[in-house]
Amino acid sequence: MIINAILYKLKTGCQWRQLPMKSLFGYRKYSWKSVYHHFRKWAKEGFWLQLWQKLLSKHKHLLDLSSIQLDGSHSMAKRGGEQVAYQGRKKGKTTNMLILTDAQGIPVSSSKAIAGNHNDAFELTTHFEFMLADMRKAKLNTEDLFMNADAGFDTEEFRETCYKNNIMGNIAKNKRNGNEEKTCYTIFDEKLYAFRYVIERTNAWIDAYKNLLVRFDTCSKSWEAWNHIAFSIILIRKL
């Protein structure tokens, strides 16, 4: 019942104190504070991330890793807090998270919360290595993969990182980088890149959870936990 209450807040985005406790718990005397306490405790312990990784490991035979997709997802942050900063394009403060999906659009890894004033290439190699490590914890293969990414990820350092991890980075060329030819790490296949649309669809799935559409949590661990719960639900529903 506590899990159902947490899922209700994720879907509706309501305030904790507005949870319909009688509908969720019947006539049992539970307070919304009890639900909040359990969510925060599990978020601090990394329970939601472990749950997502165990689900990925259990159902890895149903994932489609013929190609993976990389993109960032910005959420408006109304109350400020950790990893929150002004984003000019969004005309407000945001928090960003990098997401990797399989060819079906199912999230298989994500970065930690990133302040919204940074572009997608900010400390990209560090975040990407962290994401690959999480995939390995879920017992997913991270070698010999084909990865699509848009022009925001077009840096020489990131291409080299992909190469060192035996990942073919199919990254669109950033026109701001000029017309100079890149190194041997540069490849681009338009037919493969066409599959990148699936991660845009994933972003739409995530936006369906109102608690993620606008961030009200000031603690970055809580916000990351909400994302991990959403990723777990998407995984279960799609498989």
Side-chain angles (χ1 to χ4, degrees):
M1 289 185 287
I2 289 174
I3 296 291
N4 281 337
I6 291 171
L7 296 181
Y8 182 92
K9 174 167 170 54
L10 172 66
K11 183 62 178 177
T12 64
C14 69
Q15 297 179 4
W16 285 107
R17 64 179 67 251
Q18 296 299 323
L19 285 173
M21 300 302 292
K22 286 186 178 179
S23 298
L24 293 166
F25 290 86
Y27 290 97
R28 295 173 179 84
K29 294 183 178 180
Y30 285 105
S31 167
W32 64 267
K33 295 179 182 179
S34 298
V35 182
Y36 173 76
H37 167 75
H38 282 85
F39 169 77
R40 284 288 294 142
K41 180 180 71 173
W42 293 332
K44 288 179 181 178
E45 293 174 354
F47 168 79
W48 303 110
L49 175 60
Q50 294 172 31
L51 171 67
W52 178 35
Q53 289 177 340
K54 287 181 179 180
L55 287 170
L56 285 169
S57 178
K58 181 178 180 180
H59 299 290
K60 62 183 179 180
H61 62 288
L62 297 174
L63 297 173
D64 184 356
L65 295 177
S66 58
S67 69
I68 57 176
Q69 327 299 324
L70 173 66
D71 200 7
S73 176
H74 281 266
S75 294
M76 296 294 294
K78 295 295 186 180
R79 295 180 58 197
E82 299 172 348
Q83 300 301 325
V84 173
Y86 182 75
Q87 164 61 261
R89 290 186 300 129
K90 302 290 183 180
K91 296 184 179 180
K93 292 183 178 180
T94 65
T95 301
N96 186 25
M97 177 178 279
L98 302 181
I99 301 171
L100 272 174
T101 74
D102 74 346
Q104 304 169 85
I106 297 172
V108 294
S109 188
S110 68
S111 70
K112 293 184 178 180
I114 306 169
N117 61 325
H118 300 300
N119 58 32
D120 287 336
F122 174 73
E123 296 183 351
L124 178 54
T125 55
T126 302
H127 293 305
F128 189 65
E129 292 284 3
F130 171 83
M131 294 165 75
L132 292 180
D134 271 1
M135 286 183 67
R136 296 184 189 107
K137 289 178 183 178
K139 300 180 181 179
L140 301 181
N141 176 47
T142 60
E143 295 189 353
D144 302 320
L145 298 176
F146 295 91
M147 184 188 69
N148 289 318
D150 64 25
F153 299 92
D154 181 20
T155 69
E156 196 67 17
E157 183 182 13
F158 182 53
R159 290 179 182 273
E160 186 175 350
T161 299
C162 293
Y163 181 81
K164 288 180 178 179
N165 284 282
N166 295 323
I167 293 175
M168 287 292 187
N170 195 45
I171 304 171
K173 184 176 180 181
N174 193 333
K175 295 180 180 179
R176 295 180 181 179
N177 293 341
N179 296 320
E180 295 182 5
E181 289 295 326
K182 301 293 182 180
T183 64
C184 60
Y185 306 129
T186 303
I187 64 165
F188 186 71
D189 186 297
E190 291 186 1
K191 290 184 178 180
L192 177 61
Y193 190 74
F195 287 96
R196 204 191 76 84
Y197 81 92
V198 299
I199 197 167
E200 300 295 349
R201 185 179 62 190
T202 303
N203 286 331
W205 293 341
I206 294 171
D207 287 346
Y209 299 100
K210 304 306 180 186
N211 211 55
L212 296 179
L213 190 60
V214 179
R215 174 185 170 182
F216 287 96
D217 295 90
T218 57
C219 177
S220 59
K221 273 191 172 295
S222 294
W223 187 76
E224 290 166 7
W226 286 119
N227 279 275
H228 297 151
I229 299 171
F231 298 158
S232 298
I233 296 171
I234 291 171
L235 172 67
I236 292 169
R237 293 183 66 182
K238 298 304 172 185
L239 296 183

